[in-house]
Amino acid sequence: MPTPTSLKYSKTHEWVKVEGTNASVGITGHAQEALGDITFVELPKVGADVKKDNACCVIESVKAASDINAPLSGKVSEVNESLETAPESVNSDPYGAGWIFKLSNVNSSDAAGLMDAKAYDAFLESDQ
Amino acid sequence: MSYIANTESQRREMLKVCGVRSIHDLFADIPERLRPKSFSLPQGKSEFEAFAHFEKLAGQNYAHLTCFVGGGFYDHFIPAAVDALASRSEFYTAYTPYQPELSQGTLQAIYEYQTGICRLTGLDVANASLYDGGTALYEACQMAIHATGRRKVIMDGGVNPIYRKMIRSYTANLSIEFVETPVTHGLKASKESNDFDSVTGQSDRKRLFEALDDRTAAVLLQNPNFFGVIDDHSDIVKKAHDLGIIAIQSVYPVALSLLKTPAEQGFDIATGEGQSLGIPLSFGGPYLGFMAAKKALVRKMPGRIAARTVDMSGRSGFVLSLQAREQHIRREKATSNICTNEALCALRAHLYLSLLGKEGLKTVAQLCFDKAHYAKERIKAIPYVKVMESSPTFNEFTVKLPIDAGECVGRMVELGFAAGFPLGRYYEGMENYLLVAVTEKRTKYEIGRLAEALEAVVCQ
Amino acid sequence: MSIIFEKSVPDRKGVTLPACDVPKTRQIPEIYRRKKDASLCELSELDVVRHFTALSRKNYGVDTNFYPLGSCTMKYNPKITEKIAALEGFSQLHPLLPQLRRGGMLTQGALAVLYELETLLCEILGMDAFTVHPMAGAHGELTGMMLIAAYHRDKGSRKTEILIPDEAHGTNPSSAAIAGFTVRSVPTNTDTGMLDLVALESMIGEQTAGIMMTNPNTLGLFNFQIEKIAALAHQYDAQLYYDGANLNAILGKFRPGDADFDVVHVNLHKTFATPHGGGGPGAGPVGVKKHLEPFLPISRITTRPDNTYALNYDFPKSIGYIAPFYGNFAVCLRAYAYILMQGGQGLIEVSENAVLNANYIMHSLKNDFHVPYLKTCMHECVVSAKNQAEHDIHAIDIAKALIDEGFHPPTVYFPLIVKEAMMIEPTETESKETLDAFIGAMKRIAIAAKETPQALRAAPRTTPVGRLDETKAARDMDVCFLG
């Protein structure tokens, strides 16, 4: 699965799409593959404040339960409720239909520390 | 008695393959200075000698006393088929079913057991077992704390005092606030008149409603309560839910075949002690903690859960599921640390429920109720003795004696009875009160003899 | 095979109960009754017996197959212990009896069993006092953590961290966390298989309440740095905890008490041969040194001047009640019987044979599988399916193929620090012929991995069901029969 160039990436394998003071967040192709078949996503509460690099929700597969970190600080404005009945979209389309939550009130300067697609791919290479 | 098969000559062959001269070489990593400073144990006994030793020890226990003691643990009849089937070694020498293809027997039995607990409690999901009713209640508390993010718990005084002590012990290192409400109306008045008639009643709504607030995570109630009293907690549950509090009920499974279920009363979680379902008293264990909950709470449930699925050819089968929450995957973030649980005891409970069946369990419960009522009538007739009757009871009731209950019980032992449990042990001021339990095993004759002996003791 | 509830026939009766011999003058008031009966089974006794007999025949147990699960110690469960546990003087004894006035005299035999077991465990582990209240190993770990917390609280020190090796069993960090501690993971040096002492030294400090160790560790290796670790821990008054899951390796060869461990737990259902039951009941007694004794849970069994036993609740610093009564008595009873039958010399032979059996397997398979630590192992050896990965065969495939060969697979994917780990613990009760058969099967599988890998991936094929869809199970969550 190629890494989309329009997105930014965190070291803990989340992707972010920043649009002004809003952002969308999901997990990367690498992350969904490592987790295996996703069985459940514990979505964050709409309206909750999240802090950069802090765990804000949990994603479960048969063999693992992983924390998803907020790549930026902000307020949860929307969650992908379709994941409640179809968590498998995180596996099949992690960058599209498998988005997990959206944030408002984000500070775009927070995004400065995130990697671009090229840097993320290099990061994956070195981590192997 | 040795269970080692290999002979000296076989060991020599194996040592050669390992490339060492003697078994001692295999322990070379343990330096001399770390060897045991002492390892002085008695010489091993043969099977025959061992059995004689234990027959002697067993003979020193008064297991033959006619039992009217309960307190959450009851002398119920256990059908012979429970022992026969639970002692099949394919069940009891098996390990936790991590390789499901080899453990379909255990896994299907657990799935069926979970179903039985759901049908008894009326709730949606149940787990494979916890250690006992006390740890089950504690785990339910923890579920509520995690689910609500709040740190205050209300415990009704009618909840088994041993369980309340256990919960406080487990949470001593965590910052959780406990509030206990008494099972009384106007305890102060009772203390003045030294009459606990109202103590052995139902949950004190006034005190409970005062205590429930939006900082409360959970309210813990028991039905029947420790005094044997039956209640309908629906009103308390409604108030709890209005405040976002999780309602938990600790229950007596045999009674549930007749009594209003936790689900009917609106409870979110039901826990309890499964010893009454085909598990011998065995001086305190092993027992069986069961837990059932509303569907929405399933991911917060501790312990194992068996789930139905299919294999690659579409054949139906069972696996342990939701393991991602458990300690071997989540480690320090796990919802609970439980690993080994009480699987064989759960199997016994499922066997018991299957053998007695729908009608059988109701019959057991009805017999318990009827015989307890008869016992009340016989004891009521004894001069100077009062039976607490302010509220309906199931198979356990409280008796007020003219003498110290502990002293009374001591003398009843000499007459061949374990007459009941002296409540002063756990409830201050109740030294003259005795908790008497009656099960389907107690005959009319035994109950009559109990009453006669009790009369002889108190009227001396 | 159908679910038992599907077999119900309306109005079919099971076990009969006696008729009611007392007058029925009261009813449970309507408002307290359930609206509809619980839909439990309606089957005859034979129906039930056939159902459960059929279920049992779908199970593997120690009595049916070799069960080399690493760290589980699946040794033979002596049948005599079942007969002992069934003695009515034990099985019919109500736990509240000794809490009655002069009630201790009603249960002297039972109290003797528990007291003697505690005494024997003290000698076996080198500790000063024991409690048999914990009802499982993880429960023992939690109890141990609570004792450590109580100890520090009593001293007024605010120590909040527990250090745990990364190869430790998951119950270690989860027990510590549940007791209210923060957990930090100490890395293992993957070259030596030993705890990274340098890392430990950098992580330990005034905030460290305790360190949890398993010895031999989960790689099956004896940790020879144990004295250094103990000295380091005690420099900061951190309590050293011993996880006794691997005790079967070192009976009579090493006692944690001698190596300055402050608190230990043992698993009676592992080392002391009580049955695993398909997932319990077990028991996890906890032993302590004198300085932790005041905090042990109550009640405790003490002896009176006339040598009778009594229950004693007078321990003001106790952590309180961690069990409803005295522990899983019937499990303790079986373990006590086992220890009496083995005797001191017998226990030593248990460990010697357990270690020999594990080393024999390791040396027999070292040319077929990668052995990450090719040095003397203890009662279990860790091999890896690393070399089979080039044929796209993984530990799980080897495990499933073993099933078709008639063996329960070893533990796979644990410890986490070894890729494609397979942890094999034969135990001392297995014969050389069984080990040779297992070794033969593993060698055949190693060849099949090269020559016919697709056959391995289809395994198992001889079991009632094949590989099950665990994803579907977690997504559908059918955990209660609704039919």
Side-chain angles (χ1 to χ4, degrees), chain C residues 31 37 63 67 190 229 239 296 317 341 380 385 401 417 445:
Chain C
I31 47 161
D37 290 340
D63 278 13
Y67 223 112
T190 43
I229 295 171
Q239 299 297 290
L296 285 174
K317 292 192 179 178
M341 287 192 292
E380 62 194 5
I417 58 172
I445 291 170

Side-chain angles (χ1 to χ4, degrees), chain B residues 320-335:
Chain B
L320 287 180
S321 194
L322 298 184
Q323 293 186 75
R325 317 149 296 138
E326 289 191 62
Q327 47 76 23
H328 59 286
I329 290 175
R330 277 300 257 170
R331 297 174 72 88
E332 66 269 15
K333 296 189 184 149
T335 47

Side-chain angles (χ1 to χ4, degrees), chain B residues 429-446:
Chain B
M430 296 190 79
E431 285 70 29
N432 280 22
Y433 292 75
L434 186 68
L435 184 67
V436 179
V438 185
T439 68
E440 74 285 2
K441 276 175 76 172
R442 299 289 78 84
T443 63
K444 184 177 178 190
Y445 175 74
E446 285 171 339

Side-chain angles (χ1 to χ4, degrees), chain B residues 1 3-4 6 10-11 13-14 26-27 33 35-42 44-45 47 53-54 57 61-62 69-70 73 88-90 92-95 99 101-103 105-106 108 111-112 114-115 119-120 131-132 165-166 169-170 173 202 232 256 258-261 264 281-287 298 305 307-312 315 322 327 331-332 337 340-344 350-351 355 357-358 360 362 369-371 373 404 406-407 413 425-426 444, chain C residues 2 4-5 14-15 21 24-26 32-35 37-39 41 51-52 55-56 59-60 62-63 67 69 72 77-79 89 91 93-96 99 101 106-107 109-110 120 123 136 138-139 146 149 153 168 170-171 174-175 177-179 227 249 252-253 255 258 269 275-281 313 319-322 324-325 327-330 336 340-344 353 357 376 400 403 408 431-433 464 466-467 469 477-479 481 483:
Chain B
M1 172 80 213
Y3 297 98
I4 292 165
N6 286 338
Q10 285 178 306
R11 274 193 284 273
E13 279 182 63
M14 293 166 72
L26 294 174
F27 290 91
R33 66 184 182 280
R35 296 294 171 119
K37 295 193 174 114
S38 153
F39 198 75
S40 157
L41 287 125
K45 293 188 199 288
E47 178 176 309
H53 175 83
F54 284 97
L57 285 177
N61 298 322
Y62 283 56
V69 176
F73 307 87
R88 287 187 70 90
S89 58
E90 296 94 330
Y92 82 84
T93 67
Y95 188 63
Q99 294 289 354
E101 301 90 336
L102 301 175
S103 325
T106 297
Q108 181 169 340
Y111 177 84
E112 292 174 350
Q114 288 165 189
T115 304
R119 291 181 178 198
L120 215 44
Y131 306 135
D132 79 297
K165 281 185 200 286
M166 283 172 71
S169 299
Y170 279 135
N173 212 32
Q202 298 168 326
D232 176 359
L256 271 188
L258 294 179
L259 296 183
K260 199 163 194 178
T261 66
E264 284 173 317
L281 286 164
S282 261
F283 201 57
Y287 287 157
V298 71
I305 298 185
R308 191 148 66 145
T309 181
V310 292
D311 73 357
M312 299 176 311
R315 285 176 294 192
L322 298 184
Q327 47 76 23
R331 297 174 72 88
E332 66 269 15
N337 72 335
T340 296
N341 46 99
E342 303 286 335
L344 197 66
H350 176 38
L351 278 161
L355 286 161
K358 183 166 123 174
K362 274 171 62 183
F369 177 79
D370 292 332
K371 289 175 188 249
H373 189 71
D404 180 86
E407 198 48 54
V413 165
R425 178 103 177 64
Y426 290 113
K444 184 177 178 190
Chain C
S2 27
I4 197 170
F5 299 98
V15 168
D21 58 356
K24 292 157 153 292
T25 51
R26 279 271 192 100
Y32 300 120
R33 299 184 74 106
R34 63 187 290 159
K35 292 270 174 305
D37 290 340
S39 40
C41 298
H51 180 84
F52 283 89
L55 283 183
S56 76
N59 254 19
Y60 272 38
V62 172
D63 278 13
Y67 223 112
L69 280 175
C72 299
N77 311 125
K79 303 302 169 224
S91 67
L93 208 56
H94 197 293
L96 283 173
Q99 297 186 29
R101 190 71 51 83
L106 306 175
T107 57
L120 289 168
E123 181 65 11
H139 199 206
M146 287 164 70
R153 214 175 23 244
T171 50
S174 63
S175 302
I178 280 160
E227 292 153 297
K253 304 291 183 189
R255 302 189 314 170
D258 297 328
H269 47 294
H276 280 81
Y313 290 84
I319 56 174
Y321 287 55
I322 56 121
F325 296 105
N328 278 351
F329 176 78
Y336 172 49
L340 284 187
M341 287 192 292
Q342 295 297 327
N353 283 274
N357 284 0
T376 301
K400 302 302 182 188
I403 294 174
H408 191 287
S431 66
K432 182 172 176 297
E433 309 91 82
R467 292 203 207 185
D469 189 343
M477 282 237 291
D478 174 2
V479 297
F481 183 65

Side-chain angles (χ1 to χ4, degrees), chain A residues 39-40 42 58 60-61 63-65 67, chain B residues 147 299-300 322-325 329-330 333:
Chain A
T39 53
F40 184 71
E42 193 181 298
V58 183
E60 273 182 42
S61 68
K63 55 178 178 161
D67 289 331
Chain B
R299 293 204 128 76
K300 303 257 180 310
L322 298 184
Q323 293 186 75
R325 317 149 296 138
I329 290 175
R330 277 300 257 170
K333 296 189 184 149

Side-chain angles (χ1 to χ4, degrees), chain B residues 111-159:
Chain B
Y111 177 84
E112 292 174 350
Y113 157 81
Q114 288 165 189
T115 304
I117 296 294
C118 286
R119 291 181 178 198
L120 215 44
T121 57
L123 290 164
D124 309 315
V125 293
N127 71 9
S129 72
L130 298 162
Y131 306 135
D132 79 297
T135 38
L137 189 55
Y138 154 74
E139 294 274 14
C141 235
Q142 286 291 70
M143 280 170 70
I145 288 168
H146 285 132
T148 60
R150 302 174 183 176
R151 305 193 74 79
K152 181 176 158 194
V153 173
I154 316 281
M155 299 200 285
D156 186 65
V159 170

Side-chain angles (χ1 to χ4, degrees), chain B residues 147-429:
Chain B
T148 60
R150 302 174 183 176
R151 305 193 74 79
K152 181 176 158 194
V153 173
I154 316 281
M155 299 200 285
D156 186 65
V159 170
N160 191 318
I162 296 172
Y163 292 176
R164 284 184 280 123
K165 281 185 200 286
M166 283 172 71
I167 291 174
R168 283 185 186 275
S169 299
Y170 279 135
T171 54
N173 212 32
L174 310 170
S175 50
I176 298 174
E177 182 195 340
F178 288 101
V179 172
E180 287 192 21
T181 60
V183 233
T184 182
H185 298 274
L187 179 58
K188 216 186 204 172
S190 304
K191 267 206 172 116
E192 279 156 8
S193 63
N194 207 31
D195 181 355
F196 279 74
D197 190 16
S198 54
V199 171
T200 54
Q202 298 168 326
S203 303
D204 185 337
R205 265 68 172 170
K206 183 163 178 289
R207 302 285 274 273
L208 273 166
F209 290 172
E210 277 167 16
L212 296 174
D213 61 17
D214 60 9
R215 282 174 39 243
T216 306
V219 58
L220 313 183
L221 299 158
Q222 180 173 312
N223 191 38
N225 69 17
F226 192 69
F227 304 99
V229 166
I230 303 170
D231 202 341
D232 176 359
H233 292 135
S234 304
D235 55 336
I236 301 169
V237 173
K238 175 151 192 331
K239 184 82 165 52
H241 284 161
D242 287 343
L243 292 162
I245 300 169
I246 295 208
I248 302 169
Q249 193 180 57
S250 180
V251 295
Y252 178 4
V254 169
L256 271 188
S257 60
L258 294 179
L259 296 183
K260 199 163 194 178
T261 66
E264 284 173 317
Q265 295 171 59
F267 281 95
D268 301 288
I269 308 174
T271 60
E273 177 52 62
Q275 177 272 320
S276 297
L277 302 176
I279 295 165
L281 286 164
S282 261
F283 201 57
Y287 287 157
L288 172 65
F290 63 84
M291 176 189 278
K294 286 186 175 161
K295 207 175 168 87
L297 289 167
V298 71
R299 293 204 128 76
K300 303 257 180 310
M301 279 183 101
R304 307 254 159 70
I305 298 185
R308 191 148 66 145
T309 181
V310 292
D311 73 357
M312 299 176 311
S313 325
R315 285 176 294 192
S316 180
F318 302 87
V319 291
L320 287 180
S321 194
L322 298 184
Q323 293 186 75
R325 317 149 296 138
E326 289 191 62
Q327 47 76 23
H328 59 286
I329 290 175
R330 277 300 257 170
R331 297 174 72 88
E332 66 269 15
K333 296 189 184 149
T335 47
S336 155
N337 72 335
I338 190 164
C339 184
T340 296
N341 46 99
E342 303 286 335
L344 197 66
C345 297
L347 177 71
R348 292 186 68 101
H350 176 38
L351 278 161
Y352 176 85
L353 289 173
S354 305
L355 286 161
L356 281 176
K358 183 166 123 174
E359 284 308 314
L361 194 66
K362 274 171 62 183
T363 308
V364 170
Q366 194 63 52
L367 283 169
C368 287
F369 177 79
D370 292 332
K371 289 175 188 249
H373 189 71
Y374 177 69
K376 273 193 199 178
E377 295 295 311
R378 291 297 307 260
I379 291 173
K380 249 180 8 188
I382 301 172
Y384 315 117
V385 168
K386 180 176 176 182
V387 171
M388 295 309 167
E389 293 201 282
S390 59
S391 312
T393 55
F394 177 61
N395 73 330
E396 209 158 6
F397 54 92
T398 309
V399 173
K400 184 180 175 184
L401 301 167
I403 57 173
D404 180 86
E407 198 48 54
C408 174
V409 165
R411 286 195 257 160
M412 291 292 281
V413 165
E414 288 160 26
L415 297 169
F417 294 95
F421 188 70
L423 284 165
R425 178 103 177 64
Y426 290 113
Y427 292 88
E428 203 189 300

